[in-house]
Amino acid sequence: MNPSIAKHYREILVAVGENPEREGLLDTPKRAAKAMQYLCNGYTMSLEDVTNGALFESQNDEMVIVRDIELYSLCEHHLLPFIGKAHVAYIPTGRVMGLSKVARVVDMFARRLQIQENLTKQIADAIQHITDAAGVAVVIEAKHMCMMMRGVEKQNSVMTTSVMLGAFRESSATRLEFLQLIGRRS
């Protein structure tokens, strides 16, 4: 736990009118600091460490999809969570990626202060870089607490972002197949 972060959380408690010496808040600055460090631990990870060389030879050249990868991130504008799921697909060219590594790539980028648009692109670019795939597609659907808990307070809004690279961008049939397989319409 970073003592500097804890000190700042204590100052925030005072600034909002709370008493950090109150029983329920005594350890809150430390707990909040630990939580923030965990929620931002993507900064301490590298793509190479996360994927750990988990590429395997394969003759498969058909679409590989990992759907409904849960993700939790923090909006860089308000430091409030956005929660959702990512759907990631790629078309292999001689090598496939270990299944869990796709989810780990999503987590690495989600555990940074983000906007959803950039998160989607970072995941797609990373999968492309790792696999050298013929194409990569990423769709993220998320609910943003910065929109639900404050501001316009719209409880049922879901933001959807997508990035299509290679064959997914060039071929409407490939893109449509992906979207249908993840349960989205074109």
Side-chain angles (χ1 to χ4, degrees), residues 108-163:
M108 181 184 81
F109 289 111
R111 297 290 183 179
R112 298 175 182 185
L113 301 178
Q114 282 288 8
I115 61 172
Q116 184 174 326
E117 298 89 336
N118 291 348
L119 175 59
T120 310
K121 178 109 172 75
Q122 290 168 348
I123 294 166
D125 289 343
I127 299 295
Q128 178 65 51
H129 175 76
I130 295 162
T131 63
D132 196 29
V136 174
V138 177
V139 169
I140 295 178
E141 303 165 294
K143 290 188 168 207
H144 291 249
M145 296 303 122
C146 58
M147 189 164 167
M148 296 170 69
M149 295 176 65
R150 53 160 302 284
V152 296
E153 297 184 34
K154 298 301 177 203
Q155 305 307 307
N156 297 309
S157 61
V158 176
M159 181 177 183
T160 302
T161 52
S162 69
V163 171

Side-chain angles (χ1 to χ4, degrees), residues 32-84:
K34 284 174 77 172
M36 183 58 80
Q37 285 181 275
Y38 177 77
L39 295 172
C40 293
N41 70 9
Y43 293 115
T44 66
M45 301 175 188
S46 74
L47 198 50
E48 292 72 27
D49 290 340
V50 166
T51 56
N52 197 27
L55 283 174
F56 308 100
E57 287 186 33
S58 174
Q59 299 309 308
N60 179 39
D61 62 356
E62 297 293 330
M63 194 180 304
V64 174
I65 301 174
V66 184
R67 287 183 36 179
D68 298 324
I69 303 167
E70 59 198 46
L71 69 85
Y72 308 91
S73 193
L74 291 175
C75 161
E76 67 184 34
H77 298 142
H78 302 99
L79 300 183
L80 290 172
F82 63 94
I83 300 165

Side-chain angles (χ1 to χ4, degrees), residues 155-180:
Q155 305 307 307
N156 297 309
S157 61
V158 176
M159 181 177 183
T160 302
T161 52
S162 69
V163 171
M164 306 288 167
L165 304 176
F168 291 96
R169 184 186 262 318
E170 297 157 7
S171 168
S172 59
T174 302
R175 185 172 45 256
L176 181 59
E177 178 185 353
F178 166 66
L179 294 172
Q180 287 176 336

